[in-house]
Amino acid sequence: MSTPEFDSRKTVEVNGGIESVRNQIMGTAGGQVVQAGSVEEVHFHAVDRFSGRTDHDPLVPAQLPLRLRRFVGRDGELDALRGLRADSPDSPLLVVLSGPGGVGKTTLAVRWLQEMSGDFPGGSLYAELGGVNPEPASPGRTLGWFLESLGVPGQRIPAEPEHRAALFRSMTARSRLVVCLDNAASAAQVRVLLPSGSANVVVVTSRPRMTGLALDGAAFLDVEPLPEDDGLSVLEGFIGRERVAGEVEASRRLVRLCGGLPLAVSIVGARLAARPRRKLRDEARDLVDDQQRLALRVPGEEPVGAVFNASYAGLGPQAQRIYRVCSGHPGREFGVAVVAAAVRWSEADTVMVLTELVEASLLMETGDERYAFHDLVRAHARERAEAEDGVDVAVEATRRMVSWYVTRAVAADLVVHPLRTHVGPLYDVGAPQTGIFENERVAMSWFERERGNLLAVVDHAYSREWDDEAWQMCEALWGYFLRTRRYGDWIAIQSTGIASAVRCRNRRAEARLRSQLGFAYSKVGRFDDAIAENTRALWIGDEIGDQQARATALSQLGRATRGKGDLAGALAYHRRAQQACEGMGRRRGVALNRRRIGNILMEMGELDAAVAELQMAAEAMAELRDRIQHSRCLQFLGAAYQLAGRHDLAMATLGEALAAVSDAESPYYQAEVLAQLGEVAERHGDRAGAADAYHRAAALYEVVEDPKAAVMRSRSASLTET
């Protein structure tokens, strides 16, 4: 097709001494034409196809931790880092800071990066890579976090790690940002997290030297323990200059006993600050006398165990117990309730003891009643738990935490997605637990806040062979997943859950999770994988006589087959699924398949049959009080009416669909209805009504970070132009 050509001319007419201007366009123009008497300047703002933001209002991550007020010394290291940047100000820079745990690598990295953050308009990214953990953070999961931070909606993040890496490189190709990769485990873990831009700065902190990164052009800097005078300055920051000056030799001795490690000196300083009358020489004497504790080592680390032991000994019995128990928490950050469940205390008593640990610098407070360990402190707490409680007792406390998360997830799922049939036994006793979450919004907020822990629970439960907890957590996350659509995480944990179900020989659970995995595969376009998983689930259902498993697998096979373009095959699967649900008396399952059959018939052009199916589906969902699905049925019914030329009925039906979902915590589904309303109005010449619907849809899509927001804004703007 040739490109249309047009001729734009301006003519000037003089009438009574007054000039008038007439603009003419001759020929054919594609798209819209704006006529103006005079144009001074034209600005174009690129719209990001993922986040919907323009380059006029970009998303700029700012993830570096807050700068510490007590930062002292490190002049030599800072000068070296500044020199590296000065040598190549417009080139990419990769720096590896290595040294023992607690030596202050992260603090130094953050100080330097924040110092020059004003030169990097792209912002800052930060990730804790868990290098000292048995299972460090996976690069794929970290890439998912980085992509979300750069504005990619969760549902648009690729599932495969290599695809995430490629997208991350593309998004950072022209960026100017700083990245801190903290506590790395290996060069391979780091390499895929490196941005591709030519002016980015990346700092990696690690206990071992990452010599493999020399192949990537890395510069290396060993971070040594603080000189004695700098250690004294750290101590002064906690207890004051006068107190240090009053016992100079004891102060120096304390710094030496701490090995010059800033973390260790800080713990001693916090202890002394809490006891203003305690002599520094007494503190030093305690550390020296306990030679066994001074010799305590975290494997591969400097001997800092003596400091942790001294702080631990200063705690009361309850705080010591909480300290030991928290070390077994599956994820990094935790709240009060899960700790209370592990020790079987009230939350009020638990928070008081956690506060004591924060004040003793043995826990970090990361948010409102949210806590985390420094890695070295957690290692010490874990060792204390095994030594004092025994491995079995420590493991049992962790299992109570895992069970707490699973039970809460079930309770939240019952609020978010109450009408689905379930396999997990906790759903049979979960109804009393629903009072924990007042409404859908509260339940979804809990899911979002605990997301990292819930994923960690699946992995931890699997590694401990707590298979029932692992697969039940996967089922309990279904409702949350439907609202957030983070397919990468979903595919990973479903695979783990399936392995657990297989290991404990729970065939019903295996079939359920295979269908859930197949759903995710269909959504990311992996239709063959979706068919394989659901074929297996169908075979299991046939073998064990589980009609619900059969019905679910058949419906999901219909979804995947439709995705491959086989509408007739998809229709057959959904009709078989509908028959299976009818045989079990599952009205909701029947209605869901009717809705999907109606969509397929509409796509095949059989509009009368489509309308009939969608009407029956909508009536059933209304009777079941499923607001979301009732609205979805009405939405598609409105679309069918529109295709059939019944405009008034289409508008009325879509209005009913919007009302059905307006008070639900479902901005995505509200946006879907409004987008459909906009299309119907636009087709019938109601430009103002269409523009308003598109505008409202854009605002709701933005809430869930759906890229359709940009499309809706564009449509609305085009209809309001004069």
Side-chain angles (χ1 to χ4, degrees):
M1 180 181 295
S2 61
T3 303
E5 297 181 355
F6 62 90
D7 181 20
S8 177
R9 303 176 182 175
K10 181 176 73 174
T11 62
V12 180
E13 299 178 351
V14 179
N15 184 10
I18 300 175
E19 292 186 352
S20 64
V21 179
R22 181 174 73 247
N23 291 308
Q24 292 181 320
I25 295 180
M26 303 179 63
T28 302
Q32 298 176 352
V33 177
V34 178
Q35 180 173 341
S38 176
V39 178
E40 298 294 334
E41 295 182 72
V42 178
H43 298 274
F44 295 94
H45 296 292
V47 178
D48 182 83
R49 65 190 184 94
F50 291 110
S51 66
R53 295 176 173 84
T54 68
D55 55 9
H56 184 68
D57 185 24
L59 175 66
V60 180
Q63 297 179 352
L64 294 177
L66 294 176
R67 182 183 300 183
L68 294 177
R69 291 182 299 169
R70 295 190 177 101
F71 185 89
V72 297
R74 302 299 188 195
D75 293 335
E77 291 90 341
L78 285 171
D79 286 342
L81 292 170
R82 292 164 184 154
L84 290 171
R85 185 62 187 162
D87 290 342
S88 304
D90 297 315
S91 300
L93 179 60
L94 172 61
V95 180
V96 178
L97 303 181
S98 58
V103 80
K105 302 181 294 294
T106 302
T107 303
L108 174 62
V110 170
R111 177 73 174 211
W112 179 53
L113 291 175
Q114 288 181 334
E115 177 182 290
M116 57 180 182
S117 60
D119 298 330
F120 292 85
S124 61
L125 297 174
Y126 174 89
E128 160 62 48
L129 301 184
V132 298
N133 297 333
E135 297 181 7
S138 70
R141 219 171 252 182
T142 303
L143 284 168
W145 162 243
F146 279 174
L147 290 171
E148 281 192 73
S149 303
L150 293 171
V152 182
Q155 66 271 23
R156 298 299 301 275
I157 294 175
E160 295 80 8
E162 61 269 25
H163 293 172
R164 291 184 176 192
L167 179 57
F168 180 66
R169 290 193 297 271
S170 297
M171 294 192 70
T172 56
R174 295 177 178 84
S175 62
R176 286 183 62 91
L177 54 80
V178 296
V179 181
C180 184
L181 302 176
D182 200 12
N183 197 17
S186 66
Q189 182 193 35
V190 167
R191 193 166 285 119
V192 296
L193 303 176
L194 299 178
S196 61
S198 62
N200 298 315
V201 174
V202 181
V203 178
V204 179
T205 74
S206 175
R207 296 185 187 181
R209 296 197 73 200
M210 295 286 173
T211 54
L213 291 176
L215 299 175
D216 301 272
F220 297 88
L221 180 64
D222 291 329
V223 182
E224 303 290 344
L226 287 173
E228 195 169 285
D229 287 344
D230 288 340
L232 287 176
S233 297
V234 172
L235 193 60
E236 287 178 356
F238 284 92
I239 64 175
R241 182 173 300 177
E242 291 183 1
R243 196 171 173 191
V244 169
E247 294 186 76
V248 175
E249 186 53 40
S251 298
R252 291 187 177 277
R253 194 176 188 191
L254 282 171
V255 172
R256 289 194 297 269
L257 289 170
C258 290
L261 298 180
L263 177 64
V265 177
S266 296
I267 293 174
V268 170
R271 280 170 48 83
L272 291 169
R275 304 177 65 183
R277 292 183 177 81
R278 180 168 172 80
K279 296 295 185 181
L280 273 60
R281 62 174 179 271
D282 293 337
E283 185 78 2
R285 185 188 63 243
D286 288 349
L287 292 176
V288 171
D289 290 344
D290 196 352
Q291 292 298 325
Q292 290 184 349
R293 293 188 177 184
L294 281 172
L296 177 65
R297 293 173 181 263
V298 176
E301 302 296 335
E302 295 295 328
V304 297
V307 177
F308 301 137
N309 278 334
S311 295
Y312 176 74
L315 299 173
Q318 291 181 330
Q320 287 184 344
R321 184 185 176 195
I322 290 284
Y323 177 70
R324 299 193 303 269
V325 166
C326 290
S327 70
H329 184 262
R332 179 177 181 271
E333 182 183 289
F334 50 86
V336 175
V338 67
V339 181
V343 296
R344 296 170 177 159
W345 292 353
S346 71
E347 292 188 23
D349 290 340
T350 303
V351 74
M352 290 178 62
V353 178
L354 288 169
T355 300
E356 181 181 348
L357 292 173
V358 171
E359 292 175 353
S361 297
L362 290 174
L363 271 185
M364 298 181 292
E365 195 167 20
T366 59
D368 185 18
E369 295 190 350
R370 302 286 291 181
Y371 307 90
F373 276 113
H374 183 283
D375 55 357
L376 287 178
V377 179
R378 177 168 181 160
H380 174 264
R382 189 159 44 229
E383 185 171 10
R384 287 292 87 212
E386 294 177 359
E388 298 185 29
D389 301 325
V391 174
D392 291 343
V393 172
V395 168
E396 186 57 34
T398 299
R399 189 160 195 172
R400 285 195 292 271
M401 294 184 191
V402 168
S403 296
W404 181 89
Y405 279 117
V406 175
T407 301
R408 284 294 177 101
V410 167
D413 189 44
L414 283 168
V415 175
V416 173
H417 206 283
L419 298 177
R420 189 190 191 209
T421 58
H422 301 99
V423 175
L426 287 176
Y427 283 93
D428 296 333
V429 296
Q433 297 289 335
T434 55
I436 295 171
F437 302 103
E438 298 175 10
N439 51 46
E440 186 178 313
R441 178 185 57 80
V442 175
M444 284 298 295
S445 295
W446 181 84
F447 270 131
E448 193 65 31
R449 182 174 63 253
E450 300 292 353
R451 172 189 165 206
N453 288 330
L454 300 178
L455 299 178
V457 161
V458 175
D459 293 337
H460 189 84
Y462 177 75
S463 69
R464 287 282 184 182
E465 298 189 14
W466 300 337
D467 294 318
D468 285 332
E469 287 90 338
W471 72 257
Q472 286 185 81
M473 178 62 83
C474 292
E475 184 183 27
L477 288 171
W478 176 255
Y480 170 69
F481 161 72
L482 286 178
R483 303 298 177 86
T484 58
R485 307 299 177 102
R486 292 185 172 94
Y487 296 112
D489 288 343
W490 185 246
I491 289 171
I493 68 167
Q494 292 304 308
S495 301
T496 302
I498 290 169
S500 283
V502 170
R503 190 162 59 189
C504 70
R505 300 181 181 180
N506 191 322
R507 307 299 301 285
R508 291 186 68 210
E510 180 187 351
R512 170 55 58 94
L513 267 58
R514 286 191 184 279
S515 286
Q516 291 184 174
L517 178 59
F519 177 94
Y521 280 150
S522 288
K523 287 298 184 179
V524 298
R526 294 171 58 176
F527 299 115
D528 289 336
D529 290 332
I531 290 172
E533 292 296 336
N534 281 291
T535 299
R536 176 70 177 174
L538 180 60
W539 180 81
I540 293 172
D542 288 336
E543 185 178 64
I544 66 176
D546 187 336
Q547 295 304 309
Q548 182 59 54
R550 292 185 69 258
T552 302
L554 286 167
S555 184
Q556 293 302 326
L557 282 167
R559 182 190 300 275
T561 303
R562 181 185 179 188
K564 295 191 72 173
D566 182 2
L567 297 182
L571 195 62
Y573 274 125
H574 282 302
R575 282 180 170 153
R576 288 175 63 191
Q578 177 187 339
Q579 292 171 359
C581 291
E582 287 173 344
M584 293 182 291
R586 304 287 190 188
R587 292 189 64 203
R588 184 174 183 274
V590 172
L592 281 172
N593 281 286
R594 283 193 183 282
R595 192 204 80 193
R596 292 161 185 162
I597 288 169
N599 287 346
I600 294 172
L601 290 171
M602 187 166 40
E603 196 170 345
M604 296 172 73
E606 300 181 22
L607 297 181
D608 290 341
V611 166
E613 293 288 349
L614 291 168
Q615 283 177 335
M616 287 186 284
E619 291 171 2
M621 289 302 183
E623 292 174 3
L624 291 168
R625 298 183 180 180
D626 189 329
R627 291 177 299 170
I628 298 295
Q629 289 302 326
H630 180 221
S631 174
R632 294 286 277 172
C633 292
L634 292 174
Q635 176 192 337
F636 296 124
L637 181 59
Y641 284 143
Q642 171 62 28
L643 290 174
R646 304 170 71 178
H647 171 69
D648 292 341
L649 192 53
M651 291 296 292
T653 303
L654 289 171
E656 186 181 353
L658 186 61
V661 78
S662 61
D663 60 344
E665 290 293 324
S666 307
Y668 172 81
Y669 293 118
Q670 293 177 46
E672 290 279 278
V673 177
L674 285 165
Q676 190 73 54
L677 273 167
E679 289 185 13
V680 173
E682 185 176 5
R683 288 182 182 182
H684 286 266
D686 182 4
R687 293 172 60 89
D692 179 67
Y694 289 144
H695 176 74
R696 293 165 64 193
L700 290 166
Y701 277 131
E702 285 176 346
V703 173
V704 293
E705 298 182 338
D706 192 294
K708 293 177 186 176
V711 177
M712 294 296 105
R713 280 199 305 270
S714 176
R715 290 183 180 180
S716 179
S718 68
L719 292 170
T720 55
E721 291 176 352
T722 59

